[in-house]
Amino acid sequence: MFTERSGLIVWVTDTKPARNLERYGTVHYISKKMQYVAMYVHADKLEDTMRNLQRLPYVKKVERSYRNEIKTEYTSNMADKTRFYSL
């Protein structure tokens, strides 16, 4: 049902033409101060999209986001220390 997406950080020289990045994927955020665009693209087309984005004249650098590879499920293997600190 849901397609697998990967995040990209695209560093640009100007944010005005950066609005055209919508044709490559979903633009999530455009930072005018730091001159970057956070966007999501289909995971199966990631390499082709990165290559096409790098060819654009207003793009300085394209970085892949590793957010989906970070473990977000945590386990508490440590003992509860609240009994030591109670009065």
Side-chain angles (χ1 to χ4, degrees), residues 4-18:
E4 191 67 30
R5 300 188 309 166
S6 294
L8 289 177
I9 307 298
V10 182
W11 298 93
V12 294
T13 57
D14 189 17
T15 56
K16 193 168 241 180

Side-chain angles (χ1 to χ4, degrees), residues 9 15 20 42 48 59 78:
I9 307 298
T15 56
N20 295 332
H42 292 291
D48 294 333
V59 173
M78 298 178 65

Side-chain angles (χ1 to χ4, degrees), residues 71-78:
K71 187 178 93 171
T72 57
E73 297 177 8
Y74 305 105
T75 58
S76 178
N77 294 337
M78 298 178 65

